[in-house]
Amino acid sequence: MTTAPEPAPASDFIRDRIRADLQAGKVAQVVTRFPPEPNGYLHIGHAKAITLSFSVAKEFGGRCNLRMDDTNPAAEDQEYVDAIQDDVRWLGFAWDAMYYAADYFDQIYAWAERLVEKGLAYVDDQNADQIAATRGTLTTPGTASPCRNRSVAENMDLLRAMKAGKFGDGEKVLRAKIDMAHSNLNMRDPVMYRIRHMHHQRTGDRWCLYPMYDWAHGQCDSIEGITHSLCTLEFEHHRPLYDWFCDSLGIYKPQQIEFARLNIEYMLTSKRKLLQLVDGGHVDGWDDPRMPTLRGLRRRGVPPEALVAFCKHVGVAKFNSTHEIGLYEFFVRDWLNKNALRRMAVLDPIPLVIENWPAGHVELVLAQNNPEDPNAGTREVPFSGELLIERDDFMENPPKDFFRLAPGREVRLRFGFFVKCTGVDKDADGRITAVRATYDPTTKGGNAPDGRKVKATIHWVSKAHALDAEVRLFDHLFTSPDPASADGGDFLKLLSPTSKKVVRGKLEPSLKDARGGERFQFERIGYFYCDHKDSQSGAPVFHRTVGLKDSWQKAQKKA
């Protein structure tokens, strides 16, 4: 579905190239693509690639395809195909057409025969280890395969026999015949096809010959008429091969343009390492809210709008760098601040007994749903003579800079009344079991008629009305901001033992009706998401998405 173009954003090298191509008439309509491999779940790095490819197409009135790069049956599954589509939609993007590399296998194979006919490809009997050992290094040329000078006729017969299933896995490969002394190792007779007698989730058992990514990628782009093939920087050294295949075949050649991948502190985006976390039981699956997968971020409650805004903000660059976790959290917090409903919750409760409260009386106080959104309205919250407050909001012997509740001190209860601490109850071990106070009935709503001020406002819930609910407090999965650089590659030793903490919270009663997928700000605590997987009717489970503290924004102002 092609949509109207958006206003042109600030320039970057990709958009500048596209504008120049359009102005010069080099392309009539921009066509991009997002080509994930359906061998796992998408992660936050893919969010940047998705945002870029789809946004660029929309900005210039073009089209963007979703294409499954399903060339490796050993690792692919329909589950991943479905999940990828769901995640792209969740981010708010719609593709113009959906394709599969597997649907092009016939054409790609026909082109392979064309290269053989031209003497530009040959069948090699060497195995993967032998090929790797003879490739050479950056300073020494590779060694030609003993099969490199086979005749065109012999290569064609062998290739067709490979296709017909007459050889076992790994017995032979098809290689491009380029230059074993090339300065770019990717050009030293790269493998185009390998034999795998495996069932493919889309083509079934029709093929036992599967194309390598470098061989299939450019040809798929060519078939679809992609004008600008946007890739991350690791593909920059593969671009000469991308161009060589198209030029050698004499087919339409898209432009491959590389940009820096998305790296964020405390996050890993290596599929291999993420799989290690899942298989090793270090996390609770691919959708664990501590994971950087889109499934994990989604279950943590990260709004897709915030993720897309963050990706647009960091933009595209030609050099890899790592973004501060605080910048990412700023965008998450900014969206939630404007859109999340406010509620009160106490996660480490201590009773507050109001001694002069009328016995058995319950009063309803009016509370704002979101001060950032006047249209969000208000709600009524029950207030009684025995409340629960956060244990950290009281100190018996406070330091000078502690302004919350303490003996003899008066504070405001959010939306309620002023209360003044009169004493505490303790158990035999001296641990405080309750805080006692009196309230001023003239201060309902939080203001004193005589104009006196208090230095702190604290939140609360009525003990008799509180909802007891599971609350999961998530933090960084790793103790280091750069877990990928762990000594010896053992990133597991950097796992944080405090990345997940489960508590029984006491929540205001309205949260009993919370539904999976809803987001809230627990006042003075953070932003929370009602888990769509584990929550049940009347028994919601909440995940902390992000805290209230915005250290990144404060650091930027200070700087």
Side-chain angles (χ1 to χ4, degrees):
M1 52 179 72
T2 302
T3 55
E6 293 181 341
S11 293
D12 56 58
F13 69 93
I14 290 178
R15 290 172 170 88
D16 289 346
R17 172 85 67 84
I18 292 173
R19 288 190 187 96
D21 290 343
L22 288 169
Q23 291 171 2
K26 188 174 181 179
V27 299
Q29 184 186 43
V30 173
V31 185
T32 62
R33 85 289 173 270
F34 173 60
E37 300 172 71
N39 60 0
Y41 292 96
L42 300 182
H43 53 64
I44 195 167
H46 292 115
K48 178 179 177 180
I50 293 168
T51 299
L52 177 61
S53 291
F54 280 90
S55 295
V56 160
K58 185 175 182 180
E59 288 162 16
F60 292 97
R63 297 181 288 113
C64 183
N65 299 336
L66 175 63
R67 180 174 74 236
M68 297 296 155
D69 175 35
D70 52 347
T71 60
N72 182 10
E76 296 159 2
D77 194 279
Q78 186 62 39
E79 173 187 350
Y80 300 132
V81 173
D82 296 339
I84 288 169
Q85 295 178 74
D86 187 51
D87 284 343
V88 172
R89 292 191 188 100
W90 174 71
L91 284 172
F93 297 105
W95 49 88
D96 291 274
M98 182 169 176
Y99 299 107
Y100 296 81
D103 292 347
Y104 305 141
F105 280 179
D106 286 304
Q107 178 61 75
I108 294 172
Y109 174 79
W111 279 334
E113 287 202 352
R114 183 186 299 180
L115 290 183
V116 171
E117 289 173 350
K118 297 175 72 171
L120 296 177
Y122 63 96
V123 174
D124 194 351
D125 300 341
Q126 295 182 112
N127 60 36
D129 291 337
Q130 291 171 321
I131 292 173
T134 57
R135 182 150 306 198
T137 68
L138 292 173
T139 56
T140 60
T143 302
S145 166
C147 307
R148 197 172 194 266
N149 293 318
R150 277 175 164 156
S151 68
V152 168
E154 185 180 6
N155 281 318
M156 190 67 76
D157 287 344
L158 287 171
L159 177 59
R160 290 173 178 172
M162 290 166 64
K163 180 177 180 288
K166 295 183 179 179
F167 301 106
D169 291 3
E171 279 192 50
K172 299 184 186 299
V173 296
L174 181 70
R175 296 177 69 176
K177 191 174 183 180
I178 306 178
D179 181 359
M180 288 302 294
H182 201 285
S183 59
N184 185 335
L185 270 64
N186 294 304
M187 301 293 283
R188 295 183 184 178
D189 292 10
V191 173
M192 297 168 57
Y193 274 104
R194 77 283 208 201
I195 300 170
R196 285 189 173 172
H197 291 269
M198 299 187 72
H199 183 84
H200 188 281
Q201 54 91 19
R202 187 162 181 85
T203 61
D205 298 318
R206 182 166 173 245
W207 292 88
C208 64
L209 198 60
Y210 291 99
M212 301 296 288
Y213 180 84
D214 277 340
W215 165 234
H217 180 207
Q219 317 330 306
C220 291
D221 283 350
S222 180
I223 292 170
E224 292 175 19
I226 302 302
T227 58
H228 301 86
S229 179
L230 308 180
C231 304
T232 46
L233 278 180
E234 60 264 34
F235 292 99
E236 184 172 21
H237 294 297
H238 296 251
R239 185 176 0 123
L241 181 57
Y242 182 103
D243 293 342
W244 185 89
F245 280 133
C246 291
D247 290 339
S248 298
L249 290 168
I251 61 176
Y252 165 72
K253 181 174 66 179
Q255 299 178 71
Q256 178 176 300
I257 310 174
E258 305 84 17
F259 60 93
R261 63 185 302 161
L262 181 62
N263 297 310
I264 305 176
E265 292 176 331
Y266 297 97
M267 293 188 185
L268 283 175
T269 54
S270 161
K271 281 186 179 180
R272 178 182 60 81
K273 291 179 179 178
L274 295 178
L275 180 63
Q276 195 172 340
L277 289 172
V278 174
D279 288 348
H282 303 289
V283 293
D284 302 322
W286 289 99
D287 65 347
D288 187 304
R290 295 166 293 176
M291 289 281 276
T293 56
L294 296 189
R295 289 286 154 129
L297 299 176
R298 185 175 183 173
R299 196 166 172 212
R300 187 161 178 156
V302 173
E305 299 90 343
L307 191 52
V308 170
F310 168 70
C311 291
K312 288 184 176 181
H313 175 82
V314 300
V316 292
K318 266 292 187 182
F319 302 97
N320 283 322
S321 61
T322 300
H323 298 284
E324 297 176 44
I325 188 72
L327 174 61
Y328 157 74
E329 290 178 346
F330 167 79
F331 279 89
V332 175
R333 193 180 292 107
D334 184 62
W335 190 94
L336 290 171
N337 181 52
K338 297 171 185 173
N339 295 278
L341 296 177
R342 273 50 167 177
R343 295 293 184 264
M344 288 192 287
V346 177
L347 303 188
D348 184 13
I350 186 172
L352 174 66
V353 179
I354 303 177
E355 296 176 316
N356 62 333
W357 185 263
H361 178 62
V362 176
E363 191 152 343
L364 297 176
V365 299
L366 201 63
Q368 283 182 291
N369 284 328
N370 188 343
E372 299 291 326
D373 180 9
N375 296 322
T378 59
R379 68 191 186 284
E380 292 183 325
V381 183
F383 189 103
S384 65
E386 189 167 358
L387 308 174
L388 297 171
I389 62 172
E390 292 288 351
R391 190 171 295 274
D392 286 347
D393 280 338
F394 175 81
M395 290 188 74
E396 190 174 16
N397 299 295
K400 185 178 180 180
D401 57 352
F402 183 85
F403 300 113
R404 286 164 279 170
L405 198 58
R409 183 175 297 166
E410 191 173 46
V411 300
R412 178 188 293 107
L413 296 179
R414 181 79 162 141
F415 305 120
F417 301 86
F418 284 13
V419 294
K420 184 182 234 182
C421 178
T422 58
V424 297
D425 296 342
K426 296 183 180 182
D427 60 18
D429 297 323
R431 178 179 169 84
I432 297 174
T433 57
V435 178
R436 294 189 170 273
T438 57
Y439 87 111
D440 181 349
T442 68
T443 59
K444 184 177 180 180
N447 294 303
D450 61 8
R452 73 182 188 275
K453 304 294 183 183
V454 293
K455 291 187 176 181
T457 299
I458 63 175
H459 63 281
W460 52 273
V461 294
S462 172
K463 183 176 180 180
H465 303 87
L467 168 69
D468 183 78
E470 181 175 323
V471 180
R472 300 166 183 169
L473 305 175
F474 296 106
D475 207 337
H476 303 321
L477 185 56
F478 298 98
T479 58
S480 168
D482 187 14
S485 65
D487 291 341
D490 185 11
F491 68 98
L492 295 177
K493 67 182 180 182
L494 297 176
L495 284 169
S496 171
T498 59
S499 63
K500 178 181 178 181
K501 180 182 178 182
V502 180
V503 300
R504 298 300 301 186
K506 300 296 183 179
L507 285 51
E508 70 170 75
S510 67
L511 286 169
K512 182 178 181 180
D513 299 323
R515 295 171 300 189
E518 291 185 321
R519 300 178 177 90
F520 303 92
Q521 182 195 105
F522 288 179
E523 300 217 24
R524 300 179 62 240
I525 299 176
Y527 293 99
F528 288 78
Y529 176 77
C530 186
D531 182 33
H532 58 268
K533 188 173 182 179
D534 291 341
S535 294
Q536 297 181 8
S537 178
V541 175
F542 294 93
H543 293 165
R544 182 172 63 189
T545 304
V546 67
L548 289 179
K549 185 178 180 182
D550 190 356
S551 58
W552 182 84
Q553 189 177 42
K554 289 181 180 179
Q556 296 306 301
K557 287 182 178 179
K558 186 176 180 180

